[in-house]
Amino acid sequence: MSSTEVSSRARLFHGAHLPLVLGVVSLVTLGAFENRAVGTALPTMVREFDALGSFGLANAAPNAGYLVSLAVAGLWADRRGPIPALRAGAITFGLAQLLVGTAQEMPMVVAGRLLSGLAEGLLDVALMVLVARALPAVLRPRMFSLFAAMWILPSVLGPLLTGVITEQFGWRWVFLGALALLVPSWLLLQPAMRQSASTPAPERSPEDAAELVAWRAALPWAFGASVALFTMTLAGDQLETHPLIAGLAIPVSLAVLAAAAVRVMPRGTFTARRGFPAVVAVRGLGGAAFAGAGAYLPLLLTLQHDFSPSRAGVTLSITGVSWAFGSWLQGRDHGMPRTSVLRIGLTLMTVGLAGTSLLAWTDTTTWAGLAGWTVAGIGMGLSTSSLSVLTLDLSDASNSGRNSSAAQMASTMSIATALAVSGTLLALNAAHPTRWVFGTIITASAALALAGLLTSARVRPAD
C-alpha cells in the first residue's frame, strides 16, 4: 500500500482539509433537505393559497433558474475564482427561503422557487471549483462519495421531518428553518474560502481566451434553454386540459432546447469526441436513463401493483441509499482506473434498468424489479461520481468552472427532454395507461444507459 493511499484515507477528515469537508457537506445536506422538503410541503402550500393550478409552475421554476445560473457560474468561477459565485449562491439561497417562508400569495412562492434554482446552480459549480482547488486529486473521489451520502438522511427522514413541522408549526417554518441553518454552514466554509482566495489566479492561454469568448456567446442560448425547459414542463402538465396549445408547445420547446444544447455544450459532445466532450455526452445519457425511469416508478407501482402511496415511495428510499452506496464504493482504494469504475457503473445501470422493466412487463416479479432498481441505483452512484472526478481530471484551474457547468447542463437538459417525451406519452394514454406505456419508458431508459456504456470508451483522450 502506497503512502498516498494511506494519507488519502487519513486526511480527508483531518488537518487542513477538515473545515472544507465540513462546510461543503453541511451545504450539500442543507440543499438536499430543502429539495426533499419542497416536495412534501408544496401540496399543502397550493391548497392554502387555493392555487392548485400553480403546482406545475412552482415545480418548473427551479429548473429554469438552474440552467441560467449554471452558465453564469461556470464563467464567473473561472474568471474570479469560486468565492464570489459561492457568496452569491448563499445569499440567493437565503433570499429564496425568506421569500417562500413569508409568502402571502402563490406568485411569491414561484419567485422564491426560481431564486432557489438560481442558488443551486451557483452553489453547485462554486463548490466543484472549490473542491478542485483545495483538495488533491487523490481525495476527490471520496469527497464526491460524501456528496451522495449526504442525500441519504434527507431522502429517508426529510419527508417525515417536513410533515411533522408542517403539521405542528406550519409549512413556513420548513423554509425559515433552512434559512437559520445556512449561517453555521457558511461559517464552516470560511477557512477553505480564505485559502482559496489566497491562491494565485491561473495563467490564461490563447486557447482559453477563445473558449471564454465562445462561452459568453452561449449565455443567451442558456437563457433560451431555461425558457424552453420551463415551457415544456408546463405544457406537459396542461396536455390533457389544453391539448392543442400544449401539443404545439412541447415540440417547439424541444426544438429550442436542441438548438440551445448545440451551442452551450462543448464542441464534439454530440459526436462523443474523445476526452471531455465524451464525458459530457455520457453524463447526459446516464442522467436521462436513471431519472427517466425513476420518475414513473411510484405511479407504476400504484397503478399496476396496487401499492399504497406510502409503499410506492420505497423507490425514493432505494434511490437515495443505493446511489450513496455506489458512490461510496467508487471512493474506496480499489486500485482500478477511473474509466473502469465508470464502465462498471454503467453496466450495472443497464442491467438494473432492464430488470426494473419487469415491473411494467409482468405482474408477478415486483421484488425482482425493485432489486433491479437497486442495482441501477448502485450503478448510478458509481458512474455519476466517477464522471465528476473525470470532469476535474480533464480540467485545469482556468476552465474547471465552465466544464462543471457544461456537464451539469447536459444532465439537466437531457433529463428534461426525457421527462417531456415520456410525460407526453403518458398524457396521451392517461385514461388507460397500460403496461406497454410504462414498459416503453423504462426499456428506453435501459437503452439510454447502454448508449452511455458504449460511449464511455471515449472518455479518455487518445494517447
Side-chain angles (χ1 to χ4, degrees):
M1 183 178 294
S2 69
S3 59
T4 301
E5 291 172 332
V6 173
S7 64
S8 68
R9 205 168 39 235
R11 294 183 182 174
L12 186 59
F13 282 98
H14 296 81
H17 301 313
L18 183 58
L20 170 69
V21 173
L22 292 178
V24 170
V25 163
S26 179
L27 272 182
V28 170
T29 305
L30 181 59
F33 265 112
E34 190 266 352
N35 180 280
R36 292 295 186 254
V38 169
T40 304
L42 193 56
T44 301
M45 295 160 65
V46 295
R47 286 196 302 270
E48 180 175 317
F49 290 125
D50 193 23
L52 189 61
S54 297
F55 186 84
L57 192 66
N59 275 319
N63 287 331
Y66 186 64
L67 265 183
V68 173
S69 65
L70 280 178
V72 172
L75 181 62
W76 196 4
D78 285 340
R79 295 284 289 178
R80 304 296 181 188
I83 306 307
L86 191 61
R87 185 179 294 115
I91 292 172
T92 306
F93 180 85
L95 289 175
Q97 306 315 303
L98 183 62
L99 192 59
V100 177
T102 60
Q104 300 301 310
E105 52 189 12
M106 201 61 196
M108 290 180 66
V109 174
V110 174
R113 300 290 291 134
L114 180 63
L115 286 178
S116 181
L118 288 170
E120 183 180 357
L122 290 167
L123 291 173
D124 282 355
V125 174
L127 288 176
M128 284 281 285
V129 176
L130 188 63
V131 166
R133 295 190 178 189
L135 285 183
V138 71
L139 294 180
R140 292 172 188 167
R142 295 191 173 185
M143 193 69 216
F144 291 127
S145 71
L146 280 177
F147 279 20
M150 291 308 103
W151 280 79
I152 294 180
L153 282 178
S155 297
V156 175
L157 298 180
L160 175 62
L161 182 60
T162 301
V164 171
I165 294 174
T166 300
E167 292 173 6
Q168 299 298 321
F169 305 102
W171 57 264
R172 297 180 186 279
W173 288 104
V174 173
F175 301 95
L176 296 177
L179 178 61
L181 293 174
L182 177 63
V183 175
S185 300
W186 182 255
L187 292 176
L188 285 171
L189 269 176
Q190 294 305 302
M193 291 171 62
R194 285 194 292 270
Q195 177 185 349
S196 177
S198 64
T199 302
E203 295 183 4
R204 304 197 178 278
S205 64
E207 292 81 6
D208 181 58
E211 287 182 9
L212 285 171
V213 172
W215 190 263
R216 278 194 289 266
L219 288 180
W221 286 100
F223 179 78
S226 73
V227 174
L229 189 152
F230 189 77
T231 304
M232 198 162 49
T233 305
L234 287 179
D237 288 344
Q238 300 297 318
L239 194 59
E240 187 174 0
T241 54
H242 301 91
L244 180 60
I245 296 175
L248 289 173
I250 289 175
V252 170
S253 298
L254 282 172
V256 172
L257 194 62
V262 171
R263 288 161 176 82
V264 301
M265 292 296 103
R267 185 175 299 174
T269 296
F270 294 95
T271 57
R273 193 175 70 196
R274 281 193 175 275
F276 181 65
V279 171
V280 176
V282 174
R283 182 75 178 259
L285 289 167
F290 193 74
Y296 294 94
L297 289 184
L299 182 61
L300 166 60
L301 290 173
T302 301
L303 295 179
Q304 192 167 317
H305 295 276
D306 298 322
F307 273 43
S308 66
S310 58
R311 286 184 65 205
V314 70
T315 59
L316 298 176
S317 298
I318 290 174
T319 299
V321 174
S322 61
W323 187 326
F325 180 64
S327 187
W328 176 81
L329 287 176
Q330 66 79 36
R332 300 303 91 197
D333 293 324
H334 41 66
M336 299 173 61
R338 182 55 49 182
T339 50
S340 298
V341 179
L342 173 62
R343 290 182 193 125
I344 291 172
L346 291 167
T347 300
L348 290 176
M349 196 191 307
T350 303
V351 173
L353 287 171
T356 305
S357 70
L358 294 174
L359 290 170
W361 296 121
T362 70
D363 292 326
T364 58
T365 54
T366 303
W367 297 111
L370 290 176
W373 183 241
T374 303
V375 172
I378 295 172
M380 188 63 175
L382 284 167
S383 58
T384 300
S385 296
S386 293
L387 287 167
S388 295
V389 173
L390 286 166
T391 296
L392 295 184
D393 286 350
L394 295 172
S395 306
D396 55 39
S398 67
N399 62 12
S400 57
R402 279 167 287 154
N403 285 353
S404 298
S405 292
Q408 292 179 74
M409 281 195 289
S411 180
T412 302
M413 289 183 182
S414 62
I415 289 172
T417 303
L419 292 179
V421 173
S422 56
T424 301
L425 177 63
L426 181 61
L428 292 174
N429 297 272
H432 302 286
T434 55
R435 68 173 70 248
W436 76 266
V437 175
F438 293 108
T440 299
I441 291 171
I442 301 177
T443 303
S445 295
L448 288 173
L450 178 60
L453 174 61
L454 297 176
T455 305
S456 66
R458 303 180 61 81
V459 299
R460 281 294 187 190
D463 294 331

